PDB file of all heavy atoms in Angstrom:
ATOM      1  N   GLY A  57     -12.590  -7.534   9.778  1.00  0.00           N
ATOM      2  CA  GLY A  57     -13.544  -7.861  10.837  1.00  0.00           C
ATOM      3  C   GLY A  57     -13.495  -6.904  12.010  1.00  0.00           C
ATOM      4  O   GLY A  57     -13.980  -7.220  13.089  1.00  0.00           O
ATOM      5  N   LEU A  58     -12.930  -5.707  11.798  1.00  0.00           N
ATOM      6  CA  LEU A  58     -12.803  -4.736  12.879  1.00  0.00           C
ATOM      7  C   LEU A  58     -14.068  -3.899  13.044  1.00  0.00           C
ATOM      8  O   LEU A  58     -14.451  -3.546  14.150  1.00  0.00           O
ATOM      9  CB  LEU A  58     -11.603  -3.812  12.632  1.00  0.00           C
ATOM     10  CG  LEU A  58     -10.246  -4.501  12.442  1.00  0.00           C
ATOM     11  CD1 LEU A  58      -9.162  -3.480  12.169  1.00  0.00           C
ATOM     12  CD2 LEU A  58      -9.901  -5.348  13.646  1.00  0.00           C
ATOM     13  N   HIS A  59     -14.696  -3.542  11.921  1.00  0.00           N
ATOM     14  CA  HIS A  59     -15.912  -2.724  11.973  1.00  0.00           C
ATOM     15  C   HIS A  59     -16.771  -3.024  10.763  1.00  0.00           C
ATOM     16  O   HIS A  59     -16.352  -2.710   9.647  1.00  0.00           O
ATOM     17  CB  HIS A  59     -15.570  -1.238  12.012  1.00  0.00           C
ATOM     18  CG  HIS A  59     -16.783  -0.376  12.171  1.00  0.00           C
ATOM     19  ND1 HIS A  59     -17.451  -0.272  13.355  1.00  0.00           N
ATOM     20  CD2 HIS A  59     -17.448   0.397  11.288  1.00  0.00           C
ATOM     21  CE1 HIS A  59     -18.465   0.547  13.195  1.00  0.00           C
ATOM     22  NE2 HIS A  59     -18.491   0.965  11.946  1.00  0.00           N
ATOM     23  N   PRO A  60     -17.905  -3.619  10.896  1.00  0.00           N
ATOM     24  CA  PRO A  60     -18.461  -4.093  12.165  1.00  0.00           C
ATOM     25  C   PRO A  60     -17.680  -5.305  12.679  1.00  0.00           C
ATOM     26  O   PRO A  60     -17.062  -6.031  11.911  1.00  0.00           O
ATOM     27  CB  PRO A  60     -19.891  -4.479  11.806  1.00  0.00           C
ATOM     28  CG  PRO A  60     -19.845  -4.806  10.353  1.00  0.00           C
ATOM     29  CD  PRO A  60     -18.784  -3.923   9.770  1.00  0.00           C
ATOM     30  N   VAL A  61     -17.758  -5.503  13.961  1.00  0.00           N
ATOM     31  CA  VAL A  61     -17.007  -6.584  14.602  1.00  0.00           C
ATOM     32  C   VAL A  61     -17.483  -7.942  14.076  1.00  0.00           C
ATOM     33  O   VAL A  61     -18.677  -8.208  14.007  1.00  0.00           O
ATOM     34  CB  VAL A  61     -17.167  -6.513  16.137  1.00  0.00           C
ATOM     35  CG1 VAL A  61     -16.505  -7.704  16.800  1.00  0.00           C
ATOM     36  CG2 VAL A  61     -16.584  -5.213  16.665  1.00  0.00           C
ATOM     37  N   GLN A  62     -16.511  -8.760  13.686  1.00  0.00           N
ATOM     38  CA  GLN A  62     -16.771 -10.105  13.169  1.00  0.00           C
ATOM     39  C   GLN A  62     -15.979 -11.118  14.011  1.00  0.00           C
ATOM     40  O   GLN A  62     -15.052 -10.740  14.717  1.00  0.00           O
ATOM     41  CB  GLN A  62     -16.329 -10.207  11.708  1.00  0.00           C
ATOM     42  CG  GLN A  62     -17.070  -9.271  10.769  1.00  0.00           C
ATOM     43  CD  GLN A  62     -18.541  -9.608  10.637  1.00  0.00           C
ATOM     44  OE1 GLN A  62     -18.934 -10.768  10.723  1.00  0.00           O
ATOM     45  NE2 GLN A  62     -19.369  -8.595  10.437  1.00  0.00           N
ATOM     46  N   PRO A  63     -16.339 -12.394  13.901  1.00  0.00           N
ATOM     47  CA  PRO A  63     -15.635 -13.417  14.692  1.00  0.00           C
ATOM     48  C   PRO A  63     -14.133 -13.493  14.396  1.00  0.00           C
ATOM     49  O   PRO A  63     -13.357 -13.912  15.250  1.00  0.00           O
ATOM     50  CB  PRO A  63     -16.322 -14.720  14.287  1.00  0.00           C
ATOM     51  CG  PRO A  63     -17.660 -14.324  13.789  1.00  0.00           C
ATOM     52  CD  PRO A  63     -17.485 -12.956  13.175  1.00  0.00           C
ATOM     53  N   TRP A  64     -13.709 -13.105  13.218  1.00  0.00           N
ATOM     54  CA  TRP A  64     -12.293 -13.175  12.859  1.00  0.00           C
ATOM     55  C   TRP A  64     -11.535 -11.879  13.193  1.00  0.00           C
ATOM     56  O   TRP A  64     -10.420 -11.681  12.757  1.00  0.00           O
ATOM     57  CB  TRP A  64     -12.140 -13.498  11.370  1.00  0.00           C
ATOM     58  CG  TRP A  64     -12.739 -12.479  10.447  1.00  0.00           C
ATOM     59  CD1 TRP A  64     -12.129 -11.343   9.974  1.00  0.00           C
ATOM     60  CD2 TRP A  64     -14.038 -12.476   9.898  1.00  0.00           C
ATOM     61  NE1 TRP A  64     -12.977 -10.637   9.172  1.00  0.00           N
ATOM     62  CE2 TRP A  64     -14.176 -11.325   9.097  1.00  0.00           C
ATOM     63  CE3 TRP A  64     -15.132 -13.337   9.990  1.00  0.00           C
ATOM     64  CZ2 TRP A  64     -15.344 -11.015   8.409  1.00  0.00           C
ATOM     65  CZ3 TRP A  64     -16.297 -13.017   9.295  1.00  0.00           C
ATOM     66  CH2 TRP A  64     -16.388 -11.882   8.522  1.00  0.00           C
ATOM     67  N   ARG A  65     -12.116 -11.038  14.015  1.00  0.00           N
ATOM     68  CA  ARG A  65     -11.502  -9.747  14.346  1.00  0.00           C
ATOM     69  C   ARG A  65     -10.086  -9.901  14.888  1.00  0.00           C
ATOM     70  O   ARG A  65      -9.169  -9.203  14.450  1.00  0.00           O
ATOM     71  CB  ARG A  65     -12.369  -9.009  15.353  1.00  0.00           C
ATOM     72  CG  ARG A  65     -11.788  -7.683  15.762  1.00  0.00           C
ATOM     73  CD  ARG A  65     -12.641  -6.998  16.800  1.00  0.00           C
ATOM     74  NE  ARG A  65     -12.122  -5.663  17.046  1.00  0.00           N
ATOM     75  CZ  ARG A  65     -12.640  -4.828  17.900  1.00  0.00           C
ATOM     76  NH1 ARG A  65     -13.704  -5.164  18.593  1.00  0.00           N
ATOM     77  NH2 ARG A  65     -12.108  -3.645  18.077  1.00  0.00           N
ATOM     78  N   SER A  66      -9.888 -10.795  15.837  1.00  0.00           N
ATOM     79  CA  SER A  66      -8.552 -10.965  16.435  1.00  0.00           C
ATOM     80  C   SER A  66      -7.536 -11.397  15.393  1.00  0.00           C
ATOM     81  O   SER A  66      -6.421 -10.875  15.339  1.00  0.00           O
ATOM     82  CB  SER A  66      -8.598 -11.984  17.569  1.00  0.00           C
ATOM     83  OG  SER A  66      -9.393 -11.503  18.616  1.00  0.00           O
ATOM     84  N   ALA A  67      -7.926 -12.348  14.547  1.00  0.00           N
ATOM     85  CA  ALA A  67      -7.023 -12.812  13.490  1.00  0.00           C
ATOM     86  C   ALA A  67      -6.732 -11.689  12.503  1.00  0.00           C
ATOM     87  O   ALA A  67      -5.597 -11.532  12.037  1.00  0.00           O
ATOM     88  CB  ALA A  67      -7.622 -14.021  12.768  1.00  0.00           C
ATOM     89  N   GLY A  68      -7.749 -10.906  12.171  1.00  0.00           N
ATOM     90  CA  GLY A  68      -7.551  -9.779  11.260  1.00  0.00           C
ATOM     91  C   GLY A  68      -6.607  -8.742  11.842  1.00  0.00           C
ATOM     92  O   GLY A  68      -5.727  -8.225  11.155  1.00  0.00           O
ATOM     93  N   TYR A  69      -6.789  -8.447  13.120  1.00  0.00           N
ATOM     94  CA  TYR A  69      -5.941  -7.469  13.806  1.00  0.00           C
ATOM     95  C   TYR A  69      -4.485  -7.939  13.832  1.00  0.00           C
ATOM     96  O   TYR A  69      -3.577  -7.201  13.444  1.00  0.00           O
ATOM     97  CB  TYR A  69      -6.459  -7.260  15.232  1.00  0.00           C
ATOM     98  CG  TYR A  69      -5.731  -6.200  16.001  1.00  0.00           C
ATOM     99  CD1 TYR A  69      -6.122  -4.877  15.922  1.00  0.00           C
ATOM    100  CD2 TYR A  69      -4.652  -6.518  16.813  1.00  0.00           C
ATOM    101  CE1 TYR A  69      -5.455  -3.891  16.629  1.00  0.00           C
ATOM    102  CE2 TYR A  69      -3.984  -5.546  17.519  1.00  0.00           C
ATOM    103  CZ  TYR A  69      -4.381  -4.230  17.431  1.00  0.00           C
ATOM    104  OH  TYR A  69      -3.711  -3.262  18.124  1.00  0.00           O
TER     105      TYR A  69
END
Side-chain angles (χ1 to χ4, degrees):
L58 304 178
H59 184 74
V61 175
Q62 298 294 328
W64 61 87
R65 179 182 186 181
S66 295
Y69 184 87

